[in-house]
């Protein structure tokens, strides 16, 4: 048996993207909307239906298995536990249920940890021993790499960095019940909230052309590039929060670099440079000028898909 | 050659304590004042003079070497780098200079990491795979254990948790140049500052019987146990800061427990219980009720001395 194929899947709060992988390359991609599926078993069946023709045409015996990156995954047990940004409550036996449906080995890991593994094997982390990946999306996720190993910790709950508190008694996070966590400022929702707070002060802005529901990091970035003051200030505030958080994280694991991923990660002028400046001003002397901020070089969800699939390599 | 002896040394901002060790037990202890020695070479010579009669009587060939726990140590290079709470500036080749004087192998590691190693091998961390040691002393130090290995990170600078920011734009730390770091609230000086802020509001307190210079965590703890309101509030504020910090640290490395060490760690009623309560309220659901707060069971500096000496076991 060759078993030269794997399937890598990235399940986010909004989209689920699946990749057919051979020799570390994504040959074909499939996607569906996560949020359209109320129960996790509905999502698993929808993935199965979409992938079945491909699995059958290649032959199931040629597949090593399926690696899935998914929020709040416990890599040890295969369960998804108390997911903050998904529809499902409590402890969900996701890997076990997926194995039953697919009849293939399934390994799961937190989506951001999957992305960090992808960057480590195939992306911006190839030459780094120590780095922290931060994904700026629906939520703020993270994967911490130490000596080229992903940090899991007890019950594989490590690196839930989006839920660290940056501003005590700050914004309330309805999903986690916590106040002032990084995610409430640097997730898509967090950035939009910052913009709305500024717009509510009544100053004119290009952002006035959009409804609250339409506002997104993408639109805010676009308006910032058109010179809109409120949009620029929004990104600057976001950068300052991110920079403070990165300094704290740097003092914890001493990374050589941060690798940022997500829509915001592309906003170099307004976000990355400012975040680096703020990080530097909150670092001990021994750390200053030593830590790079890199932007993921892998397109779309490829890091998470490839990283999740890499779980099957061991 | 038996080489059954090691020397373990704990160098703190105030005291230096040395232990003669055989079979994981401290047979004899020696101590001197760190701060009395302006240059690091003065301290090394003072240590040498104090230990020489013992080394000679046992025979140098019976020693495996010397392990030293010291703030801001780089375990890879043997240098002490930009120490915040010591007299020395810049990069100091401490292990190399000590080897030259003692003519024995010398390994160094950050003092709190040494204490964590000591707890892991001989103390409260014996049965734990993942824990975080926090030392509450002249400074706030930390050692992070993951899968029974001490976290070092790039240039062995990891776990400088005392310098993470808990209150943005909070108290200024003259040693680090940072604002609002944990150390400015939970070190000896930080706790005293909190008490002084409260005393300055003019309410009567048992602490009024002491000068600002006399105030210490020990005196504040004693007054708290006598029911003094200002002293109790001071410990509660300290606990709240520590609890917030522990929640952030827990979300980073997912420890099974925190192990606290230092004068304050004994103040269970006023500090530990309150810190645990605050930690819990800042934890994600998946972490709640799962993390123990333990107090070091090894007396005095034994954890750091034994942990530093354990560096010679490899």
């Amino acid at each position: 048996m060759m078993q030269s194929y794997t399937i890598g899947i990235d399940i986010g709060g909004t989209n689920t993207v699946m990749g057919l992988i051979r020799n570390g390359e994504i040959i074909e991609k499939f996607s569906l909307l996560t949020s359209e599926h109320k129960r996790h078993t509905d999502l698993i069946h929808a993935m199965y239906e979409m992938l079945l023709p491909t699995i059958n045409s290649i032959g199931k015996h040629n597949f090593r298995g399926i690696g899935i990156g998914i929020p709040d995954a416990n890599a040890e047990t295969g369960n998804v536990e108390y997911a903050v940004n998904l529809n499902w409550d409590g402890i969900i036996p996701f890997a076990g249920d997926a194995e039953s449906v697919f009849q293939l080995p399934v390994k799961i890991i937190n989506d951001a940890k999957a992305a960090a593994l992808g960057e480590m094997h195939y992306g911006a982390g190839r030459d780094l021993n120590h780095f922290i990946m931060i994904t700026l999306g629906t939520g703020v996720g993270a994967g911490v790499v130490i000596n080229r190993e992903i940090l899991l910790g007890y019950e594989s709950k490590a690196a839930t960095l989006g839920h660290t508190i940056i501003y005590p008694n700050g914004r309330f996070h309805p999903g986690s019940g916590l106040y002032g966590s990084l995610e409430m400022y640097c997730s898509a929702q967090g950035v939009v909230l910052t913009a709305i707070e500024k717009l509510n002060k009544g100053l004119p802005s290009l952002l006035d052309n959009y409804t609250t529901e339409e506002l997104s990091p993408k639109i805010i970035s676009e308006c910032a590039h058109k010179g809109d003051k409120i949009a620029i200030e929004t990104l600057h505030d976001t950068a300052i929060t991110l920079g403070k958080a990165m300094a704290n994280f740097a003092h914890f694991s001493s990374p050589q670099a941060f690798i940022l991923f997500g829509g915001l990660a592309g906003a170099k002028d307004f976000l990355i440079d400012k975040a680096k400046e703020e990080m530097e001003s909150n670092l001990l002397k021994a750390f200053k000028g030593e830590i790079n901020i890199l932007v993921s070089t892998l397109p779309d969800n490829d890091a998470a898909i490839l990283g999740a699939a890499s779980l099957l390599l061991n």
Side-chain angles (χ1 to χ4, degrees), chain A:
Chain A
M1 282 203 299
M2 290 278 296
Q3 295 201 314
S4 54
Y5 288 88
T6 52
I7 292 167
I9 304 181
D10 179 43
I11 301 180
T14 312
N15 296 305
T16 290
V17 184
M18 299 167 274
L20 173 68
I21 297 167
R22 190 179 184 175
N23 297 331
E25 270 182 51
I26 301 172
I27 301 169
E28 199 177 348
K29 274 193 191 175
F30 310 82
S31 69
L32 45 81
L33 287 172
T34 311
S35 46
E36 270 187 357
H37 301 87
K38 272 195 184 157
R39 294 175 306 178
H40 74 283
T41 45
D42 298 338
L43 177 65
I44 290 170
H45 281 288
M47 298 191 306
Y48 181 66
E49 277 170 36
M50 195 171 267
L51 290 169
L52 191 60
T54 304
I55 293 173
N56 281 341
S57 77
I58 291 169
K60 190 176 278 186
H61 60 284
N62 288 317
F63 281 85
R64 197 173 282 149
I66 301 173
I68 306 179
I70 183 166
D72 299 293
N74 182 328
E76 283 174 37
T77 61
N79 296 332
V80 173
E81 302 182 350
Y82 308 108
V84 172
N85 292 309
L86 294 171
N87 288 331
W88 325 318
D89 285 335
I91 297 177
I92 302 283
F94 200 92
D97 287 349
E99 282 192 346
S100 299
V101 171
F102 279 90
Q103 295 291 312
L104 279 169
V106 174
K107 292 195 177 183
I108 70 170
I109 193 167
N110 167 289
D111 54 335
K113 291 189 180 86
L117 283 173
E119 293 294 339
M120 185 176 90
H121 288 301
Y122 309 106
R126 265 174 303 188
D127 299 324
L128 300 172
N129 288 325
H130 311 278
F131 69 88
I132 298 176
M133 171 117 197
I134 300 180
T135 61
L136 303 162
T138 310
V140 173
V144 175
V145 169
I146 296 163
N147 282 328
R148 293 195 72 72
E149 283 190 25
I150 194 85
L151 171 63
L152 292 176
Y154 182 58
E155 294 180 343
S156 119
K157 293 180 295 197
T160 50
L161 302 188
H163 300 290
T164 58
I165 309 302
I166 308 300
Y167 301 114
N169 309 314
R171 287 182 190 156
F172 180 69
H173 189 310
S176 70
L178 305 179
Y179 289 85
S181 61
L182 177 61
E183 185 157 286
M184 280 313 290
Y185 298 85
C186 294
S187 65
Q189 186 201 5
V191 178
V192 169
L193 276 174
T194 302
I196 291 171
E197 280 180 8
K198 292 184 186 296
L199 290 171
N200 283 345
K201 289 178 187 161
L203 290 171
S205 164
L206 293 174
L207 299 175
D208 292 329
N209 298 322
Y210 302 88
T211 66
T212 303
E213 287 70 34
E214 285 169 342
L215 280 180
S216 70
K218 188 165 177 285
I219 286 169
I220 294 165
S221 288
E222 284 167 7
C223 290
H225 280 100
K226 287 177 192 160
D228 184 72
K229 196 162 171 285
I230 300 280
I232 291 171
E233 279 180 11
T234 298
L235 293 182
H236 278 185
D237 285 9
T238 306
I240 283 170
T241 306
L242 184 61
K244 287 181 197 302
M246 289 195 296
N248 278 359
F249 303 158
H251 286 143
F252 198 111
S253 69
S254 189
Q256 295 160 284
F258 287 91
I259 301 176
L260 304 184
F261 174 81
L264 278 171
K268 186 175 184 316
D269 307 352
F270 301 115
L271 192 95
I272 308 294
D273 293 352
K274 192 88 182 170
K276 185 168 171 66
E277 187 185 314
E278 180 69 19
M279 176 184 80
E280 289 290 336
S281 76
N282 285 286
L283 284 175
L284 284 183
K285 190 172 176 181
F287 290 80
K288 280 188 203 291
E290 299 254 323
I291 302 171
N292 291 315
I293 301 185
L294 308 172
V295 174
S296 168
T297 51
L298 293 168
D300 307 323
N301 310 56
D302 287 14
I305 291 169
L306 289 167
S310 78
L311 294 172
L312 277 300
L313 297 180
N314 303 329

